[in-house]
């Protein structure tokens, strides 16, 4: 419904209302442009949609200390459209089924195993630990020799896999988490460990 000004309003008041409306629209468009810049690191697709709807130039990705009008006077904006899709009630039920449950029910079995190992370490017989340590040392020498001789990858890979499996068994026998033991081994790579 068109707004009709009463006859007692002067032409000056009508002009003032139009100028004020233009100022409000300009300020709103520039705030939207600034919002698109602030959203970019977190929601880049939404930011790009806002900028395309505002028909904003590419040089606006600068945040200054003071409010700056990024869009000049007389700037034409693009076609506006909704930024977010409305979630219908039938779709809500589908999403509830998809994301229902607890964190524990969605954990991978590997994560549960490693958590149990960390929380409740069980140390094996010291003789078993010593036997596994000797096997890891022997297998490590085999791998080093193959690498030094520049053997083919088909011959080296199975030996490396065997070494990693032995290291995992050793870590479990010592009551350590195999993943943490592997990570600490990588950190100390190249450093010789002295055992007393």
């Amino acid at each position: 419904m068109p707004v009709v000004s009463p006859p007692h309003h002067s032409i000056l008041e009508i002009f003032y209302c139009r100028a004020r409306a233009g100022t409000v629209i300009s300020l709103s468009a520039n705030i939207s442009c600034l919002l698109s810049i602030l959203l970019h690191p977190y929601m880049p697709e939404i930011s790009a949609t806002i900028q395309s709807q505002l028909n904003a130039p590419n040089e606006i990705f600068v945040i200054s200390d003071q409010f700056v009008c990024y869009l000049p006077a007389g700037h034409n904006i693009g076609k506006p459209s909704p930024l977010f899709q409305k979630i219908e009630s039938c779709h809500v039920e589908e999403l509830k089924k998809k994301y229902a449950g607890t964190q524990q029910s969605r954990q991978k079995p590997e994560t549960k195993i490693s958590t149990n190992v960390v929380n409740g370490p069980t140390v094996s017989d010291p003789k078993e630990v010593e036997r596994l340590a000797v096997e890891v040392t022997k297998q490590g020498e085999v791998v080093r020799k193959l690498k030094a001789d520049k053997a083919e990858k088909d011959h080296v890979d199975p030996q490396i896999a065997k070494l990693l499996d032995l290291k995992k068994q050793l870590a479990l026998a010592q009551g350590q988490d195999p993943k943490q033991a592997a990570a600490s081994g990588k950190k100390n790579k190249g450093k010789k460990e002295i055992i007393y």
Side-chain angles (χ1 to χ4, degrees):
M1 180 167 124
V3 177
V4 179
S5 62
H8 64 276
H9 280 197
S10 67
I11 295 176
L12 213 51
E13 289 174 340
I14 294 171
F15 179 75
Y16 172 75
C17 288
R18 285 184 182 167
R20 179 163 162 69
T23 302
V24 169
I25 297 294
S26 173
L27 184 63
S28 299
N30 278 290
I31 289 174
S32 298
C33 191
L34 180 62
L35 181 63
S36 75
I37 297 167
L38 296 173
L39 281 176
H40 186 73
Y42 307 103
M43 303 169 81
E45 292 175 4
I46 299 298
S47 172
T49 304
I50 293 171
Q51 289 176 12
S52 69
Q53 289 180 12
L54 289 173
N55 201 13
N58 291 335
E59 300 83 35
I60 64 164
F61 283 107
V62 178
I63 299 174
S64 64
D65 299 356
Q66 299 173 346
F67 182 76
V68 176
C69 289
Y70 291 105
L71 305 175
H75 179 79
N76 292 328
I77 62 170
K79 183 180 179 186
S81 64
L83 293 175
F84 302 100
Q85 180 182 7
K86 181 180 177 184
I87 300 175
E88 300 294 332
S89 59
C90 61
H91 193 68
V92 170
E93 292 302 320
E94 182 182 318
L95 291 173
K96 281 183 181 179
K97 288 178 185 175
K98 182 177 180 181
Y99 296 108
T102 62
Q103 289 291 335
Q104 292 176 346
S105 67
R106 288 192 294 249
Q107 277 185 335
K108 296 178 183 175
E110 288 181 340
T111 308
K112 287 183 181 177
I113 291 170
S114 66
T115 305
N116 291 339
V117 170
V118 173
N119 291 341
T122 56
V123 180
S124 295
D125 181 33
K127 291 181 182 180
E128 177 68 13
V129 172
E130 187 176 332
R131 183 189 67 79
L132 285 169
V134 169
E135 284 189 40
V136 166
T137 305
K138 286 180 184 177
Q139 189 63 29
E141 292 298 324
V142 169
V143 170
R144 275 189 220 100
K145 186 173 184 319
L146 286 172
K147 286 185 174 183
D149 294 343
K150 296 184 180 180
E152 291 183 26
K153 189 174 180 177
D154 295 339
H155 297 301
V156 176
D157 285 346
Q159 298 301 323
I160 291 174
K162 185 176 178 182
L163 176 63
L164 292 175
D165 185 50
L166 285 170
K167 284 184 175 182
K168 186 177 179 181
Q169 290 176 20
L170 178 62
L172 287 172
Q174 292 174 334
Q176 298 175 351
D177 183 12
K179 292 180 182 177
Q180 288 179 346
S184 65
K186 289 178 184 175
K187 289 178 189 173
N188 295 333
K189 189 175 183 183
K191 296 181 182 176
K192 298 215 177 197
E193 185 177 328
I194 301 173
I195 301 174
Y196 293 101

